[in-house]
Amino acid sequence: MKENVTFTAKNGSLVMIAICLIAIGVFVGAITGCVKIIGGRVLLYSLMIPSLVYLCCLLVYSINMLKAKITIGPDGIMLEGAIDRTKRNFNPFRSDYLKSNLVVDITWHDILHIGYSHPYSPLPLIVGVKIETKEQQRYEMNLSMFSTGVVKEINKYRDKYDI
C-alpha cells in the first residue's frame, strides 16, 4: 500500500465494442430483412429500432470508456471519467451519461463515504462506486469495464481510513 495502482477500462471496453459491433450488424441485417417482409413483422420491426439506438449509445459509451482510469494510492483516489452527481437533477439527455472528461482527485481524508451501486438482480455484482466528500460533492464511476481488483484495492484504503 505504499505505491499508486492504476486500473484502466481498456480490456472491458474493447470487449463491449466488439459485442456492440456484432449486435449492430445482426440488428441491421434483421431490420433490412424485415423491411422486405414488412407485412407480418411490424411489431418485431418496431422493437428492433429502439434496440439499435440503445446499442449505438452503448457503443459510444464503450468507446469513451477506453480512456477511463482509476488511480488508487496512499494519498487518495483519482477518477478519470467520473460523473459529477453533486446536483441531484435527473436529465436523461445530459451528455455526461455517454461521455465524461471529468478528472477528480480526492484525498482519503476528504472522503466522507464510499459506497457501491448494485444492479437490480439477485447476483452479488458491483457495477459502480459512489464517493461523497466532506464538502457534500458526489461522484460516481462505472466499474463494469474495470478489473474486479479495483474494488479490493478501494476496500483496503476504505478499511484503513475507516470511511
Side-chain angles (χ1 to χ4, degrees):
M1 294 196 342
K2 296 185 190 252
E3 60 185 43
N4 291 342
V5 179
T6 302
F7 296 92
T8 62
K10 286 186 181 181
N11 292 337
S13 296
L14 289 174
V15 168
M16 282 305 297
I17 289 169
I19 290 171
C20 287
L21 288 175
I22 291 169
I24 287 172
V26 168
F27 273 97
V28 167
I31 288 173
T32 56
C34 285
V35 170
K36 294 175 185 171
I37 328 169
I38 196 74
R41 311 245 175 156
V42 174
L43 179 63
L44 181 64
Y45 182 66
S46 64
L47 292 176
M48 283 188 187
I49 297 295
S51 299
L52 185 63
V53 170
Y54 174 76
L55 284 170
C56 289
C57 290
L58 185 60
L59 178 64
V60 170
Y61 177 75
S62 299
I63 290 170
N64 288 317
M65 283 295 286
L66 282 171
K67 62 184 175 185
K69 290 183 195 173
I70 297 177
T71 305
I72 304 167
D75 299 330
I77 185 169
M78 183 175 14
L79 307 172
E80 296 182 33
I83 297 174
D84 188 0
R85 297 281 189 200
T86 303
K87 297 178 184 175
R88 290 189 176 249
N89 59 349
F90 177 75
N91 182 358
F93 301 107
R94 285 181 27 198
S95 65
D96 63 352
Y97 290 115
L98 292 177
K99 179 181 179 186
S100 177
N101 294 326
L102 182 64
V103 177
V104 181
D105 193 7
I106 309 169
T107 62
W108 295 114
H109 298 291
D110 291 338
I111 296 175
L112 180 66
H113 177 70
I114 295 178
Y116 298 105
S117 58
H118 301 278
Y120 300 108
S121 72
L123 299 174
L125 299 173
I126 294 176
V127 295
V129 64
K130 298 177 181 183
I131 298 176
E132 183 177 353
T133 65
K134 292 180 181 173
E135 290 86 27
Q136 302 302 317
Q137 296 172 323
R138 294 173 184 90
Y139 302 103
E140 284 186 15
M141 184 82 175
N142 185 351
L143 299 178
S144 62
M145 296 185 193
F146 285 91
S147 166
T148 56
V150 71
V151 175
K152 187 169 81 171
E153 193 70 26
I154 290 173
N155 285 341
K156 278 190 219 176
Y157 289 101
R158 189 172 132 180
D159 295 339
K160 179 180 178 183
Y161 291 103
D162 196 30
I163 299 173

